[in-house]
């Protein structure tokens, strides 16, 4: 579903922007062992140097103003001319160990750099960039290991004229964060290679794409399974073969059951031809047998699935019409049939349920409330979130956090992606091919693609109580290769997604693969 584009609201620029004071270096005499004035409420609006904080650089670009996240005030960086400024606070007397800085942030984007940092803590400096979010506050975290009993908390901007950020409600507490899944869907890979597709490392040397992805930090592969697809790809045999390659790289494996011969998504959940006309009772058996068969074969060859999706983007249910959300009792029976088959093969395999439209809080709550009230069994929640369709990053964070808390389950991004260019590498029009379709602040460039993925991962990392598992990039290897189009029934169909792969039009690995190394 396409959502109307949000327009950026004009920001009222503060009168205090012109204030400038000479930067004062932080000294141990002012240091405390706890964060002071993290909500910027101690001073009234217009404080050039907030109480407890110090500044360095173009200090007139840093000030407090009205319009806080939790309270009445916030820290803002802004100037009518280009500026570089740091607002920082030095902590000493800390007990060594793991700490996490949490903050609520907004940004209009456009800076050369805008980030929170923890530095001089005894190890390498840790940073988290501010996502571009002009309208909604976003919570981000920065973890660090303190080994020298001290640490400096730093808010940094290296900005062009008119760029702005807001920061508020900082806390510095014991504990750590991170994401365990840095994954990608590579379902298109086997067919690509069979049709002559070639992949190269960043130097241009032909290489195994899985090896290239692994060396960039990828640790989890997602493979879809169709029952009897027209082209013979993405079926049991092909998944078994690719799974061997995945596990040989030391990666984990997510198996995504579509329970169809074709794409399954919120708009289409067609039964496999072989199951057409089956009764609801028979469909339950079909789901169990198919799920068990594929997973047991994976286990038998030594490539047990680590996670399984019972259904793909099942907002409207699956195996229509019997498994539609208009009949939750039957849908629950089908989902539990899949769950039981997974656990019969491998009790330790995580079973996830996957919805699209990750920015839709009400729809997500409605779906999982119904699932819970109908006794559906699951271990994790996966959401698709594409920023050009599914709302704002703030909407997505709200939905993700809410789902994790309300259902007490870990959450992850089952699908996301972003274009590195807009033009097409084949005759088929790309799904995203105009600048008007992009998320504001994220250009269609390798830099924009990298920022999108790092900022998405930062949002998952910030899910409270460690419930954010990580992200799967959708179709990292789906480059434009003749014969490997979107329609398995039509060999002449093209690819509408090659501008969102992680390999360029010259087949080289893009530097945006660096997102896999996000914490």
């Amino acid at each position: 579903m396409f959502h109307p584009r949000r327009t950026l609201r004009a920001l009222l620029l503060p009168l205090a922007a012109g204030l400038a004071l000479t930067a004062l270096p932080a000294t141990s005499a002012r240091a405390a062992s706890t964060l002071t004035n993290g909500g910027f409420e101690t001073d009234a609006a217009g404080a050039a140097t907030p109480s407890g904080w110090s500044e360095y650089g173009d200090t007139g670009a840093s000030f407090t103003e009205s319009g806080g996240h939790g309270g009445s005030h916030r820290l803002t960086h802004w100037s009518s001319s280009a500026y570089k400024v740091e607002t920082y606070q030095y902590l000493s007397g800390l007990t060594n160990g793991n700490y996490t800085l949490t903050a609520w942030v907004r940004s209009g984007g456009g800076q050369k750099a805008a980030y929170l940092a923890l530095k001089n803590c005894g190890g390498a400096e840790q940073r988290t960039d501010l996502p571009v979010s002009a309208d909604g506050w976003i919570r981000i975290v920065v973890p660090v290991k303190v080994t020298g009993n001290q640490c400096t908390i730093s808010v940094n901007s290296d900005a062009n004229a008119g760029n702005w950020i807001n920061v508020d409600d900082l806390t510095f507490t014991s504990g750590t964060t991170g994401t365990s899944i840095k994954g990608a869907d590579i379902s298109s890979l086997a067919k690509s290679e069979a049709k002559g597709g070639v992949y190269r490392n960043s130097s241009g040397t032909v290489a195994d794409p899985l090896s290239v992805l692994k060396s960039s930090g990828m640790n989890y592969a997602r493979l879809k399974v169709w029952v009897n697809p027209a082209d013979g790809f993405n079926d049991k045999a092909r998944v078994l073969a690719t799974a061997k390659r995945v596990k040989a790289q030391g990666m984990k494996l997510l198996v995504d059951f579509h329970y169809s011969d074709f794409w399954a998504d919120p708009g289409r959940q067609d039964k496999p031809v072989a199951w057409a006309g089956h009764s609801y009772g028979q469909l339950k058996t079909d789901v169990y047998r198919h799920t068990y068969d594929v997973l047991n074969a994976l286990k038998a060859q030594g490539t047990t699935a680590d996670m399984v999706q019972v259904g793909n983007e099942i907002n409207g249910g699956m195996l229509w019409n019997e498994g539609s959300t208009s009949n939750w009792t039957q849908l629950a029976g089908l989902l539990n049939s899949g769950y039981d088959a997974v656990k019969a093969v491998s009790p330790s395999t995580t079973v996830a349920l996957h919805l699209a439209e990750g920015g839709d809080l009400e729809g997500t709550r409605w779906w999982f409330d119904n699932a819970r009230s109908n006794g559906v069994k699951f271990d994790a929640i996966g959401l698709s979130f594409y920023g050009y369709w599914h709302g704002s990053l703030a909407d997505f964070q709200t939905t993700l956090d809410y789902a994790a808390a309300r259902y007490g389950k870990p959450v992850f991004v089952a699908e996301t992606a972003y274009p590195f260019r807009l033009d097409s590498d084949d005759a088929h029009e790309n799904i995203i091919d105009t600048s008007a379709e992009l998320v504001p602040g994220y250009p269609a460039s390798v830099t924009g693609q990298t920022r999108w993925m790092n900022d998405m991962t930062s949002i998952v990392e910030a899910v409270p109580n460690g419930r954010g598992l990580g992200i799967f990039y959708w179709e990292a290897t789906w480059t434009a290769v003749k014969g490997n189009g979107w329609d398995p029934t039509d060999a002449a169909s093209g690819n509408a997604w090659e501008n969102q792969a992680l390999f360029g039009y010259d087949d080289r690995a893009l530097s945006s693969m660096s997102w896999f190394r996000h914490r």
Side-chain angles (χ1 to χ4, degrees):
M1 177 185 295
F2 285 78
H3 295 257
R5 180 153 305 282
R6 294 171 176 267
T7 54
L8 295 179
R9 294 193 307 232
L11 184 77
L12 292 176
L13 299 173
L15 295 174
L19 294 177
L21 292 177
T22 303
L24 296 174
T27 65
S28 57
R30 292 180 57 194
S33 59
T34 55
L35 181 63
T36 301
N37 193 21
F40 303 100
E41 298 299 319
T42 303
D43 317 285
T49 305
S51 297
W53 295 84
S54 300
E55 295 179 341
Y56 178 77
D58 299 317
T59 58
S62 174
F63 47 85
T64 60
E65 64 176 342
S66 298
H69 167 262
S72 300
H73 300 96
R74 66 195 183 200
L75 175 72
T76 290
H77 286 179
W78 175 86
S79 178
S80 59
S81 56
Y83 64 94
K84 291 177 69 172
V85 69
E86 176 187 14
T87 307
Y88 63 97
Q89 189 169 149
Y90 170 66
L91 302 181
S92 65
L94 296 172
T95 301
N96 288 336
N98 292 316
Y99 290 84
T100 297
L101 175 68
T102 303
W104 288 88
V105 302
R106 302 194 308 180
S107 172
Q111 301 91 346
K112 298 171 188 172
Y115 60 92
L116 301 183
L118 295 174
K119 59 185 185 179
N120 306 320
C121 308
E125 177 177 330
Q126 298 297 315
R127 293 184 179 185
T128 300
D129 292 328
L130 270 63
V132 180
S133 177
D135 290 341
W137 290 93
I138 290 176
R139 188 183 60 259
I140 60 175
V141 294
V142 191
V144 74
K145 185 173 184 179
V146 172
T147 58
N149 302 112
Q150 62 181 8
C151 195
T152 298
I153 296 166
S154 174
V155 182
N156 282 268
S157 292
D158 181 356
N160 300 301
N163 294 161
W164 61 271
I165 65 170
N166 300 148
V167 179
D168 202 6
D169 294 337
L170 291 95
T171 61
F172 187 69
T173 56
S174 296
T176 191
T177 64
T179 52
S180 58
I181 295 174
K182 287 94 168 175
D185 194 303
I186 54 164
S187 297
S188 63
L189 177 59
K191 187 173 181 180
S192 173
E193 292 175 329
K195 300 296 181 180
V198 170
Y199 299 86
R200 303 176 186 274
N201 62 24
S202 58
S203 301
T205 303
V206 175
D208 177 356
L210 282 181
S211 176
V212 174
L213 288 161
K214 172 65 184 299
S215 66
S216 297
M218 177 172 153
N219 66 6
Y220 223 122
R222 179 178 187 254
L223 296 173
K224 71 170 175 273
V225 189
W226 288 337
V227 179
N228 291 305
D231 61 0
F233 288 88
N234 300 117
D235 63 356
K236 174 186 170 183
R238 299 286 186 174
V239 167
L240 285 169
T242 305
K244 285 185 176 180
R245 295 174 60 185
V246 167
K247 292 284 187 168
Q249 292 290 342
M251 296 184 191
K252 291 187 175 181
L253 174 65
L254 165 58
V255 178
D256 172 19
F257 284 94
H258 283 227
Y259 301 112
S260 178
D261 296 334
F262 196 76
W263 301 99
D265 56 46
R268 184 168 184 171
Q269 295 281 339
D270 299 335
K271 287 193 287 283
V273 172
W275 304 357
H278 285 192
S279 66
Y280 166 66
Q282 182 61 45
L283 287 172
K284 281 205 299 182
T285 301
D286 293 334
V287 167
Y288 187 96
R289 286 178 175 170
H290 172 59
T291 306
Y292 187 95
D293 179 49
V294 173
L295 296 179
N296 195 50
L298 284 166
K299 180 181 178 181
Q301 71 172 13
T303 60
T304 301
D306 300 282
M307 188 186 296
V308 168
Q309 281 179 220
V310 176
N312 186 77
E313 294 191 333
I314 51 176
N315 301 58
M318 64 185 198
L319 293 167
W320 288 349
N321 290 317
E322 288 79 358
S324 147
T325 50
S326 62
N327 190 333
W328 264 101
T329 302
Q330 291 192 173
L331 175 56
L334 293 168
L335 293 171
N336 283 339
S337 187
Y339 179 96
D340 290 343
V342 176
K343 297 298 184 177
V345 173
S346 171
S348 64
T349 295
T350 299
V351 178
L353 298 179
H354 170 211
L355 300 186
E357 301 177 19
D360 180 7
L361 174 61
E362 290 187 10
T364 302
R365 177 174 57 204
W366 174 85
W367 199 97
F368 278 100
D369 277 1
N370 274 289
R372 187 166 63 177
S373 64
N374 281 278
V376 176
K377 296 176 283 189
F378 63 100
D379 305 320
I381 293 171
L383 298 175
S384 293
F385 181 74
Y386 296 101
Y388 22 80
W389 298 324
H390 296 158
S392 70
L393 286 171
D395 293 335
F396 175 60
Q397 180 168 71
T398 298
T399 306
L400 198 66
D401 290 354
Y402 184 90
R406 183 170 180 86
Y407 308 107
K409 302 290 187 182
V411 294
F412 64 97
V413 178
E415 295 181 20
T416 192
Y418 207 77
F420 62 91
R421 58 195 293 171
L422 291 173
D423 61 317
S424 184
D425 195 27
D426 63 9
H428 193 78
E429 181 181 2
N430 289 334
I431 289 177
I432 302 298
D433 64 351
T434 68
S435 57
E437 293 170 302
L438 300 174
V439 180
Y442 296 90
S445 63
V446 175
T447 298
Q449 186 181 54
T450 307
R451 286 178 179 169
W452 177 259
M453 290 308 300
N454 277 321
D455 292 347
M456 282 287 292
T457 312
S458 292
I459 287 172
V460 177
E461 182 186 17
V463 174
N465 301 309
R467 289 196 175 118
L469 295 178
I471 292 187
F472 290 93
Y473 192 91
W474 196 69
E475 282 290 13
T477 56
W478 199 8
T479 54
V481 174
K482 188 176 181 180
N484 190 24
W486 69 272
D487 187 352
T489 69
D490 179 8
S493 64
N495 181 356
W497 205 259
E498 76 272 13
N499 66 325
Q500 299 191 62
L502 293 181
F503 291 84
Y505 290 3
D506 59 0
D507 302 323
R508 292 190 184 201
L510 298 173
S511 61
S512 44
M513 285 187 191
S514 62
W515 85 264
F516 286 119
R517 298 205 180 278
H518 193 285
R519 287 181 300 270

